[in-house]
Amino acid sequence: METKKYTVVIYTENQVGVLTQVANVFTRRSLNIHSLSANASAFEGIHTITIDTVATPKKIEETVKQLEKRVDTVKVFCYSEDEVVYREMALYKVSTNSMISAGNIEAILQVYNARILEINSNFTVISKVGTTDETRRLYDELCKCGLMQFQRSGRAVVSRERQEPLMEYLRKREEMNENR
């Protein structure tokens, strides 16, 4: 079966150890986590864990089902690449002297829509928000200019759906509880 890239968005209660337990589900299913981010969601008391992975449709479906069985999981959504808009943030530390010597740093920053966050006599910190490919291309370019350090965040993702999927899920769940 052919593998595809998926983004799994897990909404959970904010409990100690949830992130480890979620990562263990992926490990037990032999799924590599390409990026992971965890933070508070727009909903009080609910946190979001966003995981980027590659899997077969069957394996990702089984993983989502297993994640949804967890008591502290509110809801899990799984998206293919074309169902989301995502960005990552990358930071690049470049030797200031090498950057000045290269002479084309302004053009590079403009082409890649990047910006300088800090500059001193030893190094310059550059920030770029974009897709994985975009941050990687700037990385390749800055390697030529004395790249000293590189760090990239996990994905920040929104679905292409009209309504926030968790909001719709919570609304339906509340309606079901009222009808009982």
Side-chain angles (χ1 to χ4, degrees):
M1 214 179 247
E2 192 174 319
T3 61
K4 290 176 38 169
K5 192 172 225 177
Y6 292 98
T7 300
V8 180
V9 181
I10 307 150
Y11 291 94
T12 69
E13 296 173 7
N14 185 19
Q15 301 291 329
V16 173
V18 169
L19 188 57
T20 300
Q21 293 168 13
V22 166
N24 285 340
V25 170
F26 282 79
T27 301
R28 283 193 301 273
R29 298 222 172 255
S30 299
L31 291 175
N32 190 29
I33 295 173
H34 294 268
S35 82
L36 181 146
S37 66
N39 51 31
S41 76
F43 302 93
E44 185 71 32
I46 298 176
H47 280 64
T48 306
I49 301 170
T50 304
I51 296 177
D52 174 27
T53 191
V54 174
T56 63
K58 181 177 171 46
K59 192 174 266 195
I60 201 71
E61 183 181 322
E62 292 169 350
T63 303
V64 167
K65 284 180 182 175
Q66 187 173 358
L67 289 166
E68 285 200 323
K69 288 180 185 175
R70 299 189 37 75
V71 173
D72 46 17
T73 297
V74 175
K75 184 69 177 154
V76 180
F77 297 97
C78 182
Y79 302 103
S80 61
E81 286 292 281
D82 60 336
E83 295 175 312
V84 294
V85 176
Y86 82 93
R87 291 296 179 264
E88 300 172 350
M89 194 264 303
L91 296 176
Y92 311 80
K93 184 163 69 171
V94 182
S95 162
T96 300
N97 289 338
S98 296
M99 191 178 73
I100 291 169
S101 299
N104 62 344
I105 197 66
E106 284 183 46
I108 291 171
L109 294 176
Q110 192 169 30
V111 165
Y112 291 96
N113 197 23
R115 61 188 204 118
I116 293 175
L117 295 180
E118 182 177 327
I119 189 166
N120 64 44
S121 59
N122 297 316
F123 61 84
T124 299
V125 177
I126 297 169
S127 170
K128 164 78 180 137
V129 174
T131 65
T132 305
D133 290 340
E134 291 168 350
T135 59
R136 176 51 86 182
R137 285 195 301 271
L138 180 56
Y139 170 87
D140 293 341
E141 190 69 37
L142 291 176
C143 279
K144 303 171 193 172
C145 300
L147 185 67
M148 301 165 70
Q149 193 174 353
F150 170 71
Q151 192 65 244
R152 185 174 56 219
S153 71
R155 288 180 165 203
V157 176
V158 293
S159 72
R160 293 187 185 272
E161 298 172 46
R162 181 177 175 93
Q163 179 76 32
E164 161 67 53
L166 183 61
M167 187 180 299
E168 182 67 18
Y169 169 77
L170 293 173
R171 185 187 61 75
K172 287 180 181 176
R173 189 172 79 173
E174 192 172 306
E175 284 176 4
M176 286 177 47
N177 288 339
E178 288 173 359
N179 292 334
R180 285 184 181 179

